[in-house]
Amino acid sequence: EKGGFDHFMLKEIYEQPRSVKDCMRGRIYPEKGKVQLGGIKEFAEKLKNIDRIIIVACGTSWHAGLVGEYLIEEYARIPVEVEYASEFRYRNPIITEKDVVIAISQSGETADTMAAIEMAKERGATIFGICNVAGASIPRLTHAGVYTHAGPEIGVASTKAFTAQVTVLTLMAFYMAQQKGTITTSKLIELLTELDNIPEKIQVALESNDLIKEVAAKIKDSTNCLFLGRGSGFPVALEGALKLKEISYIHAEGYPAAEMKHGPIALIDEEMPVVFIATQNSSYEKVISNIQEVKARKGKVIAIVTEGDTEVKKMADYCIEIPDANEAFLPLLATIPLQLLSYHIAVMRGCNVDQPRNLAKSVTVE
Ligand code: F6R
């Protein structure tokens, strides 16, 4: 049942080239520069005139939401707010019939996310769901939605469901941009052609597994770990930190790299591993200066870099390469080595990776 892998989590990490592909199947037409999302088709007209999107979710799904914010704002130019469902539901949020709420939930059963949907629905918003489990409670509560089609996820720590959520949000961002006319067909042809190739690049990212295992062995006894990134690398850092803490029980925090100097920098010494998302994109130079700040304080730097990078290699203690890609697709690739890193550290620490203590696959209580 684990298909030759030691744990479900590892099997599910390795399934990602296929699960991401399944998620895009029948939805993208690279040669035509067209995205088709049957699940939300009846709202295609409405999407042309919406003023705002609110994304509600918990945990890993909330991190996917932050990636969605970045992509929807960038391509569809619609303002997005990302909310923890548990906070949103207990405020008195301002929601109108003009709002679209996107609820993201792997299981489709998360109590706080369901309550947030119900409240937004009562106030007249249109609710879209992004869910992995067909027929679960959330898809039944929403007006429309897009399934992630990642297949069942057994490991409690979400891996392939997260990348599938990010894939759906990427498709939604392009779909909305297409509806609103904020993107040209030629740009969509270019982006979709590249997106179509992302599963192969995820496969390449997985090939760093042996190196990642070596890095894991070097930092497995740490008591703390920082994850830093900028732009869409920031939610990737948050997700990397969450994965490490939930399965290895190492205290980890994700931060926007530039925020380090406003507090967390005080923590840095030779005992502190700092994982950077340092790929070659618009924030590359800035991330390099953040790496220098950590090295100046003798922190141990592990960097996720673009294939062929030479600059970061001069500074970092360990570099893990991922294939080059448009910034829009960075989260889909940079997440992979972080999943493997957490996995190996947890195994080396003797943790139960598939069933971490105190955690459940569906959180049906508030
Ligand atoms: C972390 C993890 C949790 C879930 C969260 C929301 O690996 O799996 O943080 O993401 O409990 O669950 P869903 O997506 O089912 O609503």
Side-chain angles (χ1 to χ4, degrees), residues 112-350:
D112 282 319
T113 309
M114 284 171 63
I117 294 172
E118 273 158 359
M119 188 181 68
K121 214 170 155 183
E122 267 166 33
R123 296 180 186 201
T126 300
I127 325 284
F128 293 168
I130 298 179
C131 188
N132 197 44
V133 180
S137 304
I138 287 177
R140 283 186 276 126
L141 275 177
T142 53
H143 296 112
V146 180
Y147 280 113
T148 42
H149 297 312
E153 190 178 66
I154 312 290
V156 164
S158 188
T159 53
K160 64 173 181 171
F162 172 75
T163 46
Q165 289 167 340
V166 171
T167 305
V168 165
L169 286 157
T170 307
L171 298 178
M172 276 191 175
F174 293 162
Y175 183 76
M176 290 174 186
Q178 173 185 288
Q179 294 315 115
K180 284 198 66 186
T182 50
I183 196 164
T184 61
T185 304
S186 62
K187 185 72 190 166
L188 261 177
I189 291 175
E190 179 193 319
L191 286 165
L192 294 177
T193 304
E194 194 174 343
L195 178 60
D196 203 26
N197 236 339
I198 290 295
E200 282 79 45
K201 291 188 178 179
I202 293 177
Q203 189 63 49
V204 174
L206 289 167
E207 284 160 17
S208 295
N209 186 47
D210 290 344
L211 168 66
I212 295 168
K213 208 166 159 179
E214 284 170 35
V215 177
K218 305 275 189 209
I219 62 170
K220 70 174 181 20
D221 296 319
S222 307
T223 44
N224 295 286
C225 188
L226 267 183
F227 288 75
L228 304 176
R230 302 177 80 116
S232 64
F234 165 52
V236 173
L238 289 177
E239 175 59 9
L242 178 63
K243 221 82 308 178
L244 186 66
K245 70 186 122 185
E246 66 184 333
I247 64 168
S248 77
Y249 317 138
I250 293 175
H251 168 239
E253 286 195 67
Y255 255 94
E259 276 290 309
M260 185 179 64
K261 60 182 167 301
H262 300 289
I265 198 162
L267 293 167
I268 293 168
D269 61 15
E270 54 283 359
E271 302 294 319
M272 176 67 105
V274 185
V275 180
F276 275 96
I277 316 302
T279 48
Q280 276 158 19
N281 52 46
S282 56
S283 46
Y284 183 61
E285 296 301 328
K286 301 240 179 247
V287 171
I288 287 185
S289 21
N290 298 137
I291 294 177
Q292 282 162 339
E293 287 154 14
V294 170
K295 281 318 299 175
R297 288 158 186 86
K298 303 198 167 52
K300 235 180 266 161
V301 171
I302 297 112
I304 309 302
V305 298
T306 305
E307 217 163 48
D309 183 278
T310 52
E311 281 303 295
V312 178
K313 278 190 187 143
K314 290 182 208 151
M315 289 174 271
D317 297 81
Y318 311 102
C319 282
I320 302 163
E321 293 191 339
I322 57 172
D324 191 17
N326 186 298
E327 199 160 343
F329 310 124
L330 162 73
L332 287 173
L333 298 173
T335 298
I336 309 296
L338 301 188
Q339 294 171 341
L340 287 168
L341 186 66
S342 295
Y343 170 78
H344 289 300
I345 291 174
V347 170
M348 287 169 191
R349 289 166 69 97

Side-chain angles (χ1 to χ4, degrees), residues 57-62 104-110 113 138 153 155-159 165 239 242-243 246 359-363:
C58 305
T60 285
S61 300
W62 184 79
I104 311 173
S105 174
Q106 181 280 132
S107 64
E109 302 294 346
T110 301
T113 309
I138 287 177
E153 190 178 66
V156 164
S158 188
T159 53
Q165 289 167 340
E239 175 59 9
L242 178 63
K243 221 82 308 178
E246 66 184 333
L359 291 174
K361 192 65 189 160
S362 317
V363 185

Side-chain angles (χ1 to χ4, degrees), residues 22-85:
D22 288 346
C23 180
M24 299 190 295
R25 181 160 300 130
R27 293 173 170 168
I28 64 166
Y29 298 88
E31 61 297 335
K32 290 191 207 145
K34 201 168 160 49
V35 180
Q36 210 165 283
L37 292 175
I40 57 171
K41 197 171 62 187
E42 57 179 303
F43 292 92
E45 278 305 309
K46 182 178 173 97
L47 288 174
K48 287 182 183 162
N49 293 308
I50 56 173
D51 295 334
R52 180 172 74 141
I53 291 172
I54 302 163
I55 297 180
V56 294
C58 305
T60 285
S61 300
W62 184 79
H63 297 156
L66 292 179
V67 176
E69 171 181 38
Y70 176 92
L71 292 168
I72 294 169
E73 292 198 345
E74 173 75 15
Y75 292 101
R77 309 301 296 153
I78 302 167
V80 179
E81 285 169 37
V82 188
E83 301 263 7
Y84 283 116

